[in-house]
Amino acid sequence: MRLCDLRQLEVINECDCKRLGYVEDIEFDLCSGCIKALIVPGEPKLCGMFGRDSEYIIPFSCVVQIGKDIILVKAELEEIHKKCKM
């Protein structure tokens, strides 16, 4: 599976059934070549007209299943890091 294929899949948290969004990017370890985290854009500002100021960083260990339509993750709020963009 390629990154462009992952970007078409919606990420859903199994714990609270919340739609987190679509994969924007991935973080990977240069030494091992393994995926460390999925990066999903955060909630939009003011009706989505002014972009987004944060993103979710979801550890790859929280991924339960990657299907043909969605990616299921099982993560509590403590595990999903919300990083502010600069």
Side-chain angles (χ1 to χ4, degrees):
M1 181 173 275
R2 298 179 177 190
L3 177 58
C4 60
D5 297 330
L6 282 177
R7 293 184 81 174
Q8 296 173 3
L9 302 178
E10 186 172 21
V11 180
I12 298 178
N13 191 354
E14 197 176 72
C15 293
D16 57 4
C17 298
K18 182 179 177 185
R19 293 175 154 182
L20 300 176
Y22 291 86
V23 176
E24 179 179 71
D25 205 354
I26 58 170
E27 182 180 323
F28 66 95
D29 185 355
L30 288 174
C31 296
S32 67
C34 294
I35 297 174
K36 290 173 51 176
L38 300 176
I39 300 173
V40 177
E43 297 165 0
K45 295 188 224 174
L46 192 63
C47 299
M49 295 189 310
F50 298 105
R52 302 169 192 272
D53 61 353
S54 64
E55 56 191 20
Y56 297 111
I57 300 176
I58 304 164
F60 198 71
S61 59
C62 293
V63 174
V64 175
Q65 186 173 7
I66 299 176
K68 63 178 187 173
D69 296 327
I70 62 172
I71 298 174
L72 283 177
V73 297
K74 188 172 186 177
E76 298 296 329
L77 289 178
E78 298 84 32
E79 295 174 288
I80 298 176
H81 305 287
K82 196 170 186 180
K83 179 181 168 186
C84 293
K85 290 184 178 181
M86 294 287 175

